Amino acid sequence: MSQSQSSRSQPDPSDKPVTGPETQKPSPDNAQNSGPSNFIEELIEDDLRTGKWDGRVQTRFPPEPNGYLHIGHAKSICLNFGLAEKYGGKCNLRFDDTNPTKEEQEYVDAIRSDVRWLGFGWDDREFFASDYFDQLYQWALQLIRGGMAYVCDLSNDQVREYRGTLTKPGVESPYRNRSIEENLQLFERMRAGEFPDGSRTLRAKIDMASPNLNMRDPVLYRILHAHHHRSGDKWCIYPMYDFTHGQSDSIERITHSICTLEFENHRPLYDWFCDTLGIYHPQQIEFARLNLTYTMMSKRRLLELVREKKVRGWDDPRMPTIQGIRRRGYTPEAVREFCRRIGVTKFDGVTDIALLEHCLREDLNRRSLRVMGVLRPLRVVIDNYPAGECDHLEAVNNPEDPSAGTRTVPFSRELYIEQDDFREDPPKKYYRLAPGQEVRLRYGYFITCRSVVKDDKGQVVEVHCTYDPATRGGNAPDGRKVKGTIHWVSAEHALPVEVRLYDHLFMKEDPDEVDGAGLDWRSNLNPNSLEVVSPCYVEPSLAGAAPGGHYQFERLGYFNVDKDSTASQLVFNRTVTLKDTWAKIEKRETA
Ligand code: ATP
Ligand code: MG
């Protein structure tokens, strides 16, 4: 998680609630779904029953603006904003911006847009930990005056060394017993910029023998002559994340401070700060973070992927960032449904990415218009269809949604079909096009392959067929059956487009599992995670399709229009294929 540092003060005695008037009185009865669906909801419903927080439910989503949000953050967003929604409470958006060297406005903007995209809002409840720097500074002074904090001259490395380990008790700093007066003076001089970076720290005086390493005189402030994205050059000492996070929750009168499991052993420290300072004390609750197969979730590493140009940017459709999956064609509904289905637990685990894709397909199946497109074109000539003529065949837009209506697709003498849908020497049970074999063209006619044209390398470049005019619409009046139906586009009418096909960014379920010494997660990057196919041909109804639109290319998957599209060239991303491996897993498990 984030290391923090930075400060600036604004003596706001933090005891007034920052929430506005409640529009709806929280109560278990307001819950939209009956009953709690996880241990956090159980706890909140208990609190509402006993009146522990005067009936308030106040949560927050606290990202550090040091990178773009990923699908793991979506779990936290859905949880925190979702609880506020369910119990008539409020959820703040708080930027935990204590590290001036890693944070940028660009990330703040992206985070806002991502939370909104997921369907959540925070009204005027947008906060920055950096706005609490003055208050934190005052609290540091309060600790010093109470003999609970001291200025330490040990270097970073020495602090670490003196801290000890789980099996070795810590050693007290030789500076631990400085007088309060000296500490106040030194801390003020730290703030005034008299000392170089790293030369001194302010530390809490707790217990160097504590079994919990976080309690062994943790560093509260460090010296860092760095420009902060919001406080500018006002500060050259910055509070550590641990000295900021819990107090920010306190200032905002958070009731349920929800964080991931790795903060469980920071809780005693946050408790110590609130109790020692005598301030409002939220309840921290830990839950298991989301891990996904084939997916890397650390912002630091995602940043490395971007910097090292292993991907095309933060919004590369292969990235697990919200911006990446959004560009890829994920919908907020699919992501929220996924978060609902994975639930919230106390146990770390890894979720199969097939479940995420399953939720995506369910949603795209409902909303996507069906169209025909050919990725790897093979020319088909219908020898008995008159040149220059055109037939307009009726096609269903979305069988899941009758209100989506129908459209017509042009049929003419020359078509494109998928190269895969033709075999000169078909294996057994190949029901698509082959010499002498008859297939159905989707929404069209039956055609029979009569001959092929090859290039000088022996590759089939053109297939000649005849069609049966009596089979218009897809049925033969004489009742004869064909086993295969293939998609197609009219060559003369089709639009040439670029299509980007994606595979997992990592080849291993666990990207950290490397095959040899000296290798890191980079060695698991999938060299075939992006395949650009061009020209592909799509039916003319797609002319003018706007970025973001969702389509099912029949038999090929769900696609959306990429923002790289121009007036003269549409670019499509394949969001996901049609094959649902999760449905298979579920079937097997329930069988
Ligand atoms: P990363 O390790 O990816 O950098 P982080 O925890 O440092 O993530 P923050 O910006 O500090 O990122 O996180 C904001 C909130 O999102 C925190 O409450 C954090 O616990 C939560 N969060 C981060 N990653 C996950 C995850 N994989 N699953 C669930 N919640 C997460
Ligand atoms: Mg972090």
Side-chain angles (χ1 to χ4, degrees):
M1 174 98 180
S2 29
Q3 293 293 313
S4 73
Q5 18 169 340
S6 90
S7 51
R8 122 137 7 144
S9 46
Q10 176 196 25
D12 168 15
S14 85
D15 252 25
K16 67 173 188 325
V18 292
T19 51
E22 239 107 64
T23 46
Q24 190 188 6
K25 195 171 158 27
S27 101
D29 306 332
N30 285 343
Q32 286 153 12
N33 321 328
S34 49
S37 60
N38 58 52
F39 74 97
I40 299 180
E41 295 190 358
E42 271 168 27
L43 205 141
I44 289 180
E45 294 192 11
D46 275 350
D47 289 349
L48 289 172
R49 258 187 298 273
T50 60
K52 179 168 175 189
W53 306 99
D54 302 327
R56 286 187 312 123
V57 173
Q58 174 71 62
T59 57
R60 83 285 175 267
F61 172 63
E64 184 187 352
N66 63 347
Y68 282 66
L69 299 183
H70 50 62
I71 179 83
H73 291 108
K75 177 176 181 180
S76 178
I77 292 168
C78 291
L79 177 58
N80 281 293
F81 283 94
L83 287 170
E85 247 170 37
K86 178 164 177 175
Y87 295 106
K90 302 223 147 75
C91 180
N92 298 350
L93 175 61
R94 183 201 320 135
F95 294 97
D96 253 331
D97 56 348
T98 50
N99 190 341
T101 60
K102 292 193 177 157
E103 292 155 5
E104 290 171 27
Q105 185 62 36
E106 175 193 347
Y107 301 139
V108 170
D109 296 338
I111 290 168
R112 286 181 184 133
S113 130
D114 290 349
V115 176
R116 277 197 204 102
W117 179 76
L118 279 169
F120 300 106
W122 54 94
D123 299 324
D124 57 348
R125 284 169 283 99
E126 176 175 293
F127 303 107
F128 290 82
S130 55
D131 288 340
Y132 308 141
F133 284 172
D134 283 316
Q135 175 65 74
L136 290 165
Y137 183 76
Q138 294 303 321
W139 279 332
L141 292 177
Q142 185 184 331
L143 289 182
I144 297 174
R145 287 194 197 102
M148 310 302 261
Y150 60 96
V151 173
C152 179
D153 302 357
L154 295 179
S155 68
N156 262 343
D157 288 345
Q158 287 169 317
V159 169
R160 203 170 308 122
E161 203 183 303
Y162 279 56
R163 186 181 299 133
T165 63
L166 284 176
T167 51
K168 202 173 103 202
V171 177
E172 293 190 352
S173 160
Y175 306 99
R176 197 172 200 259
N177 295 312
R178 277 179 160 148
S179 70
I180 289 175
E181 213 33 57
E182 189 184 2
N183 280 321
L184 284 171
Q185 269 174 26
L186 282 172
F187 189 49
E188 177 49 38
R189 291 176 61 197
M190 279 169 62
R191 181 194 183 171
E194 291 189 27
F195 308 121
D197 288 1
S199 59
R200 287 191 162 86
T201 55
L202 181 73
R203 298 176 66 181
K205 198 185 225 176
I206 308 181
D207 178 7
M208 289 306 290
S210 171
N212 183 339
L213 297 185
N214 294 311
M215 302 299 276
R216 294 185 187 173
D217 289 10
V219 172
L220 308 182
Y221 268 86
R222 58 174 176 168
I223 303 175
L224 198 65
H225 292 81
H227 186 85
H228 185 276
H229 77 123
R230 282 174 63 87
S231 61
D233 296 315
K234 173 170 176 181
W235 296 90
C236 63
I237 56 172
Y238 288 93
M240 301 302 288
Y241 178 84
D242 275 350
F243 189 62
T244 310
H245 185 77
Q247 287 103 299
S248 302
D249 284 344
S250 175
I251 291 172
E252 293 174 21
R253 310 282 288 183
I254 300 303
T255 54
H256 303 87
S257 165
I258 299 165
C259 61
T260 40
L261 287 177
E262 67 274 23
F263 288 94
E264 197 159 12
N265 57 15
H266 293 240
R267 175 154 35 96
L269 179 59
Y270 300 166
D271 290 346
W272 188 89
F273 288 136
C274 285
D275 295 343
T276 307
L277 292 166
I279 58 176
Y280 173 92
H281 191 155
Q283 173 171 5
Q284 175 170 312
I285 307 162
E286 305 87 11
F287 72 101
R289 61 171 45 230
L290 170 67
N291 297 300
L292 268 186
T293 54
Y294 299 102
T295 308
M296 176 80 74
M297 221 99 79
S298 131
K299 278 188 283 182
R300 186 174 50 78
R301 287 186 181 169
L302 295 177
L303 177 62
E304 283 167 21
L305 287 174
V306 173
R307 291 224 169 115
E308 295 167 17
K309 303 213 179 334
K310 304 274 199 276
V311 292
R312 293 177 168 186
W314 283 104
D315 68 348
D316 186 304
R318 292 166 294 177
M319 290 280 270
T321 51
I322 306 284
Q323 308 244 338
I325 62 176
R326 176 176 172 179
R327 181 166 175 189
R328 169 95 166 239
Y330 275 73
T331 59
E333 290 81 3
V335 176
R336 287 208 305 265
E337 172 62 12
F338 169 71
C339 290
R340 193 189 67 74
R341 288 185 60 168
I342 55 176
V344 179
T345 69
K346 273 271 185 197
F347 308 98
D348 273 320
V350 183
T351 300
D352 193 327
I353 196 168
L355 175 58
L356 176 62
E357 292 173 347
H358 174 75
C359 295
L360 177 62
R361 285 187 188 97
E362 277 188 341
D363 187 52
L364 292 178
N365 181 43
R366 276 189 293 268
R367 71 170 71 227
S368 301
L369 296 180
R370 273 56 171 176
V371 294
M372 289 196 287
V374 171
L375 296 186
R376 293 179 174 85
L378 173 63
R379 183 175 290 267
V380 167
V381 182
I382 313 289
D383 290 327
N384 59 340
Y385 193 87
E389 273 190 28
C390 177
D391 195 355
H392 294 278
L393 300 166
E394 187 172 44
V396 175
N397 284 332
N398 185 354
E400 299 292 317
D401 175 12
S403 74
T406 60
R407 69 188 184 287
T408 59
V409 284
F411 177 85
S412 64
R413 180 179 161 88
E414 298 204 1
L415 314 173
Y416 291 120
I417 65 166
E418 215 65 64
Q419 286 168 17
D420 263 1
D421 285 337
F422 174 80
R423 292 285 181 84
E424 201 182 6
D425 296 306
K428 258 202 196 131
K429 296 198 175 168
Y430 185 85
Y431 298 124
R432 291 169 270 168
L433 201 59
Q437 200 155 295
E438 187 170 44
V439 294
R440 177 189 292 109
L441 294 177
R442 178 77 160 149
Y443 302 121
Y445 299 93
F446 289 7
I447 59 170
T448 306
C449 171
R450 302 295 174 188
S451 64
V452 300
V453 177
K454 295 183 180 179
D455 63 12
D456 40 8
K457 288 183 220 107
Q459 288 272 25
V460 174
V461 289
E462 201 171 277
V463 178
H464 284 255
C465 298
T466 53
Y467 85 117
D468 176 355
T471 57
R472 190 176 194 275
N475 289 303
D478 63 3
R480 91 183 175 274
K481 299 274 181 243
V482 291
K483 279 201 167 146
T485 301
I486 63 175
H487 61 273
W488 53 278
V489 292
S490 162
E492 179 195 336
H493 303 91
L495 307 172
V497 299
E498 175 180 317
V499 173
R500 299 174 182 170
L501 304 176
Y502 303 104
D503 195 357
H504 297 140
L505 187 51
F506 292 94
M507 296 179 292
K508 291 247 174 79
E509 276 194 18
D510 175 4
D512 270 323
E513 183 199 308
V514 293
D515 284 332
L519 293 176
D520 70 2
W521 53 273
R522 288 175 182 76
S523 64
N524 288 325
L525 278 166
N526 179 0
N528 303 313
S529 58
L530 168 65
E531 186 187 353
V532 179
V533 195
S534 181
C536 304
Y537 292 99
V538 299
E539 61 173 73
S541 71
L542 281 165
H550 301 280
Y551 300 94
Q552 185 195 97
F553 288 13
E554 296 209 21
R555 299 175 66 223
L556 298 174
Y558 294 100
F559 293 72
N560 78 336
V561 182
D562 190 82
K563 66 174 192 186
D564 282 350
S565 298
T566 61
S568 56
Q569 166 92 101
L570 281 171
V571 177
F572 286 91
N573 299 303
R574 179 154 68 189
T575 310
V576 68
T577 59
L578 295 177
K579 202 173 93 198
D580 192 338
T581 49
W582 183 259
K584 263 191 225 138
I585 296 168
E586 261 192 336
K587 223 185 200 164
R588 198 188 318 134
E589 280 171 2
T590 53

